[in-house]
Amino acid sequence: MPVTIDLRQAVLHKVHGQSEEDLRSMIEGSVDGPEAALPGLGVVFEMVWKDIGKAKQDHVIGLLHRHLEEITPGSVTTEQG
C-alpha cells in the first residue's frame, strides 16, 4: 500500500533540518517564483503566524492591507531587470 502525506507534511519534510541560510534561499527563490512554490510559502507562513502573537499578527495584517491597496490586480508580481 502506498504511503501518502499531505501538503503540510511534504513541505515540512523538505525544509526540516535546513540551515537559516537554506531557509532564506528557499523563501527568496519562491517569492516572485513559480506558482508551484506558493503552497510551500503558505505552509511556512502558517508556522510563523501561529508563533508570533496577536500584536505581530495585527502588524502583518496592516502591512498586507497597505500593500493590497497599492496594487492593481494583474500587477501582483514585480518584474526584475
Side-chain angles (χ1 to χ4, degrees), residues 3-78:
V3 175
T4 59
I5 60 176
D6 66 24
L7 180 61
R8 283 181 181 90
Q9 291 173 329
V11 171
L12 294 175
H13 179 75
K14 181 176 180 178
V15 299
H16 184 265
Q18 289 190 356
S19 68
E20 290 182 10
E21 183 179 315
D22 292 337
L23 291 171
R24 177 181 294 276
S25 179
M26 183 272 297
I27 292 168
E28 289 177 349
S30 298
V31 172
D32 289 332
E35 287 191 12
L38 295 178
L41 286 176
V43 172
V44 173
F45 178 79
E46 180 182 61
M47 290 174 60
V48 171
W49 183 261
K50 289 178 176 182
D51 191 52
I52 62 173
K54 184 164 177 11
K56 288 183 180 178
Q57 287 175 347
D58 290 345
H59 179 73
V60 169
I61 294 298
L63 287 170
L64 289 169
H65 186 261
R66 283 192 295 281
H67 282 279
L68 289 169
E69 287 193 339
E70 294 173 1
I71 66 166
T72 302
S75 67
V76 175
T77 58
T78 59

